[in-house]
Amino acid sequence: MSGATVESVKLAGMVEDGLGAVERAMLDVTDSEVAVLRDASRHILGAGGKRIRPRLLLLSYLALGGRELERAAKPAAAIELMHTASVVHDDINDHGVLRRGLPSVNALWGRTFALLTGDFLFTAVYELMAPYHDLNIDLAKAATALVEGETLQASAVKNNTFTREAYMRIIALKTAALFRAASTIGAKLASAKETEIHALADFGYKLGLAFQIVDDILDMVADEDSLGKTSGLDILQGRGVATALHDANGNGNSSASDPLASIRQKLMEDDTIERARLEAGQLVDSAIADLALLDDRPPKAALVELARQVVKREN
Amino acid sequence: MSGATVESVKLAGMVEDGLGAVERAMLDVTDSEVAVLRDASRHILGAGGKRIRPRLLLLSYLALGGRELERAAKPAAAIELMHTASVVHDDINDHGVLRRGLPSVNALWGRTFALLTGDFLFTAVYELMAPYHDLNIDLAKAATALVEGETLQASAVKNNTFTREAYMRIIALKTAALFRAASTIGAKLASAKETEIHALADFGYKLGLAFQIVDDILDMVADEDSLGKTSGLDILQGRGVATALHDANGNGNSSASDPLASIRQKLMEDDTIERARLEAGQLVDSAIADLALLDDRPPKAALVELARQVVKREN
């Protein structure tokens, strides 16, 4: 193997070790004496998920010269738990019964316990982050943005105001802000320079936008088996990228026997989805350009690869 | 006026100023651009509430020699918002339609937005506390305890295991932990000695237990007008102090036409409520004894008065 390849293999091993530490941190902090909270947390965490946010944090940390992955693991775990909390609450509001290929917390434990499990995951984030003094404001602001994004989305659906502008604002708040917090916190933990922190922040933000656009495309075109969650919820509720790119209202209170199928049919007939994919690709290209100031070492290559995967993924 | 009286009047003014700063901090941090979140937060905050937790924090701070009330106001606001978040979510799970004398967030904005408003208040807590580095772990642990207590309560109701032991564990987690965080954080902000912090922690904890017992008594005996929230929910759901002191199950799935009235009737006939009041009184006495090591100055007298009010209050 060439030197670069050896270094890449070593990096991959470090990242896997780091992600292992993230899993342990998430299980540790959710190991409540209250059985329902512990069990429901283990259920949703054990169901997997892509762990893209903690991976982004760890790679950002390594790319800026960080060397103590154990220290970065807890903030990475906190960010994944923040996302998980929002997923659990989202499944209550959307009546989602399938998540990550398994029944949702809502479906298994009912609404009351799902609400409390989401709250518990929020407080676990807070506990995990408490020792990381200066980093709390980054995650706190992203957490607020996330809830604001979810709320704007629910409002837009309710009030029939799901425009392209509203869509972009929603995904910036509900997804991109947390991605930005992940890359920013990774860079700050590595004691990076201001310019580097700024570059990583932009990278994470654009990646988050692209990720959500792809997520919404998959929600429309994939079947539940490959998606692992109740699909078509978004489109039926009048949101999602296609609706937005059309600047039109796609509220699915259709009287057709299978409104989802007919909406999908319509989307396939024009180039809505293709245009959305293009937009996601452009965002990823722009994100990768933000990394120009980083040394061409394996962690940078891994960040580029992570970004490319975001647009290539099938679930 | 005597010197002591002048000092007391001055103290009362300072506390009122501090509570004013708490209100401003709560409104500032919840001033979201997302209308629903801002309006629902203002609604529940504007409805009042006793503000006993921030008052406890401010008085603990002053009693230990703290002089910058503005600095103590934000943590005090965070603790009140934490309590408010749990109240908003509690009203979803309990279908409470009246809170602080006004319709609940749930009743006005519906379940989805009430859930998101509670989440938003949680993230506001996190944002407010971010600059208070070392104090975050105290509030984070109390926040986790609060959610654990609420969950144990819901589990006990569901599984018919509402014993006295379960009741005491529940109120310790869901109420006393946050009271303890308030007095502890107040003491720490004033750079108190370890022994003083410990004494204030014990004081807050016992006060919290007493407060919840009295709350549960009021929930059983008061009418909605004086209580300002949907009353009898607790008893109908098989929880509350009387049930617990009886070590019996009071699950209210009764087929009687007015199960609440008949349960109240039964409670009035024996001395359950009287015994609960006695227990709350003993806890308050013990809490006051914990303050022995403090100087006999107005802030200590105010803490004693606050404790006495907890058992005397009518709503």
Side-chain angles (χ1 to χ4, degrees):
Chain A
M1 287 194 284
S2 72
T5 316
V6 170
E7 230 194 300
S8 297
V9 172
K10 246 173 79 180
L11 175 77
M14 283 173 76
V15 172
E16 288 315 308
D17 286 351
L19 288 171
V22 168
E23 295 301 315
R24 287 193 298 279
M26 292 197 294
L27 289 176
D28 272 5
V29 75
T30 56
D31 187 22
S32 174
E33 285 185 13
V34 178
V36 181
L37 295 176
R38 186 187 57 232
D39 296 347
S41 298
R42 282 189 187 163
H43 170 77
I44 181 75
L45 292 173
K50 290 171 278 292
R51 306 293 193 250
I52 187 168
R53 294 162 189 81
R55 197 180 283 272
L56 172 61
L57 191 152
L58 296 180
L59 284 174
S60 301
Y61 176 72
L62 291 165
L64 273 307
R67 286 291 167 267
E68 297 169 70
L69 272 184
E70 278 289 333
R71 189 169 141 67
K74 282 188 182 178
I79 284 184
E80 184 67 12
L81 286 175
M82 184 68 223
H83 164 62
T84 309
S86 80
V87 153
V88 171
H89 279 180
D90 207 28
D91 280 339
I92 298 173
N93 283 340
D94 292 351
H95 310 283
V97 295
L98 194 64
R99 175 64 69 172
R100 298 175 180 172
L102 293 175
S104 65
V105 173
N106 191 38
L108 285 177
W109 279 272
R111 212 178 64 201
T112 293
F113 290 118
L115 197 161
L116 290 163
T117 298
D119 289 352
F120 173 66
L121 294 171
F122 270 119
T123 67
V125 170
Y126 190 19
E127 258 194 78
L128 264 181
M129 288 300 289
Y132 294 81
H133 294 168
D134 290 327
L135 304 178
N136 275 291
I137 193 65
D138 291 299
L139 187 47
K141 284 187 179 294
T144 298
L146 195 166
V147 176
E148 289 179 327
E150 294 282 355
T151 307
L152 276 181
Q153 179 170 292
S155 300
V157 169
K158 188 176 171 227
N159 303 324
N160 270 354
T161 53
F162 218 107
T163 61
R164 177 185 158 80
E165 197 192 345
Y167 174 77
M168 292 310 290
R169 190 173 168 215
I170 286 164
I171 68 171
L173 288 166
K174 81 167 186 173
T175 309
L178 195 58
F179 272 69
R180 178 170 53 196
S183 54
T184 304
I185 288 173
K188 286 188 176 178
L189 273 169
S191 308
K193 286 178 274 186
E194 273 303 314
T195 48
E196 293 167 334
I197 293 168
H198 195 80
L200 263 292
D202 286 351
F203 174 79
Y205 188 73
K206 291 169 190 170
L207 194 62
L209 293 176
F211 180 87
Q212 189 58 54
I213 290 173
V214 173
D215 219 55
D216 291 332
I217 293 172
L218 290 171
D219 194 61
M220 288 182 284
V221 301
D223 55 39
E224 285 186 12
D225 280 351
S226 70
L227 203 60
K229 63 183 174 183
T230 307
S231 78
L233 280 179
D234 285 350
I235 201 169
L236 273 180
Q237 291 169 359
R239 68 201 194 197
V241 69
T243 315
L245 288 177
H246 267 293
D247 227 2
N249 175 287
N251 196 305
N253 295 329
S254 163
S255 58
S257 62
D258 186 353
L260 186 55
S262 71
I263 293 171
R264 274 190 180 140
Q265 180 69 27
K266 190 179 166 317
L267 291 171
M268 298 307 209
E269 280 164 10
D270 63 24
D271 61 349
T272 303
I273 285 170
E274 214 31 67
R275 282 191 290 141
R277 266 196 214 284
L278 195 68
E279 180 152 4
Q282 288 165 343
L283 282 162
V284 162
D285 289 342
S286 173
I288 290 170
D290 288 324
L291 300 181
L293 82 176
L294 296 188
D295 292 340
D296 280 326
R297 291 175 39 248
K300 176 177 170 178
L303 279 172
V304 171
E305 175 59 22
L306 183 74
R308 297 235 178 278
Q309 278 303 324
V310 157
V311 271
K312 277 192 228 145
R313 71 199 174 94
E314 300 286 326
N315 63 45
Chain B
M1 286 195 285
S2 72
T5 315
V6 170
E7 232 194 299
S8 297
V9 172
K10 246 173 79 182
L11 174 77
M14 284 173 76
V15 172
E16 289 314 307
D17 286 350
L19 287 171
V22 168
E23 295 301 316
R24 287 193 298 279
M26 292 196 294
L27 288 176
D28 271 6
V29 76
T30 56
D31 187 21
S32 174
E33 286 184 14
V34 178
V36 182
L37 296 175
R38 185 188 58 233
D39 296 346
S41 297
R42 282 189 187 164
H43 170 77
I44 181 76
L45 291 172
K50 289 171 279 291
R51 306 293 194 251
I52 186 167
R53 294 162 189 80
R55 196 180 284 271
L56 171 62
L57 191 153
L58 297 180
L59 283 174
S60 300
Y61 176 72
L62 292 166
L64 273 307
R67 286 292 166 266
E68 296 171 72
L69 271 185
E70 278 288 332
R71 189 169 141 68
K74 282 187 181 178
I79 284 185
E80 184 67 11
L81 286 175
M82 183 70 223
H83 164 62
T84 309
S86 81
V87 153
V88 171
H89 279 180
D90 206 30
D91 280 339
I92 298 173
N93 282 340
D94 291 351
H95 310 282
V97 294
L98 194 64
R99 174 65 68 173
R100 298 175 179 171
L102 292 176
S104 66
V105 173
N106 191 37
L108 285 178
W109 280 272
R111 211 179 63 202
T112 293
F113 291 117
L115 197 160
L116 290 163
T117 299
D119 288 352
F120 173 67
L121 294 171
F122 269 120
T123 67
V125 170
Y126 190 19
E127 259 194 77
L128 264 181
M129 287 300 289
Y132 293 80
H133 295 168
D134 290 326
L135 304 178
N136 275 291
I137 193 64
D138 291 300
L139 187 48
K141 283 187 180 292
T144 298
L146 194 166
V147 176
E148 289 179 327
E150 294 282 355
T151 307
L152 276 181
Q153 179 170 292
S155 300
V157 169
K158 188 176 172 227
N159 303 324
N160 270 354
T161 52
F162 220 105
T163 61
R164 177 184 158 79
E165 195 191 347
Y167 174 77
M168 292 308 291
R169 190 173 166 214
I170 287 164
I171 68 171
L173 287 166
K174 81 168 186 172
T175 309
L178 195 58
F179 272 68
R180 179 170 53 196
S183 53
T184 304
I185 288 173
K188 286 187 175 177
L189 273 170
S191 307
K193 285 178 273 185
E194 273 305 313
T195 48
E196 293 167 335
I197 293 168
H198 195 81
L200 263 293
D202 286 351
F203 174 80
Y205 188 73
K206 290 170 191 169
L207 194 62
L209 293 175
F211 180 87
Q212 190 58 55
I213 291 173
V214 172
D215 220 54
D216 291 332
I217 292 172
L218 290 171
D219 194 62
M220 288 182 284
V221 301
D223 54 39
E224 286 186 11
D225 280 351
S226 69
L227 204 59
K229 63 182 174 182
T230 308
S231 77
L233 281 178
D234 285 351
I235 202 170
L236 270 180
Q237 291 170 359
R239 69 203 193 195
V241 68
T243 316
L245 289 177
H246 266 294
D247 227 0
N249 175 287
N251 196 305
N253 295 330
S254 164
S255 58
S257 63
D258 187 353
L260 186 55
S262 71
I263 293 171
R264 274 193 180 138
Q265 179 68 28
K266 190 179 165 316
L267 291 171
M268 298 305 210
E269 279 164 10
D270 62 22
D271 62 348
T272 302
I273 286 170
E274 214 31 65
R275 281 190 291 142
R277 267 196 213 282
L278 195 67
E279 180 153 4
Q282 287 165 343
L283 281 162
V284 162
D285 289 342
S286 172
I288 291 170
D290 288 323
L291 300 181
L293 82 175
L294 297 188
D295 291 340
D296 280 325
R297 290 176 39 249
K300 175 177 170 178
L303 279 173
V304 170
E305 175 58 21
L306 184 74
R308 297 235 179 278
Q309 279 303 324
V310 157
V311 271
K312 276 192 226 146
R313 72 198 174 96
E314 300 285 325
N315 62 45

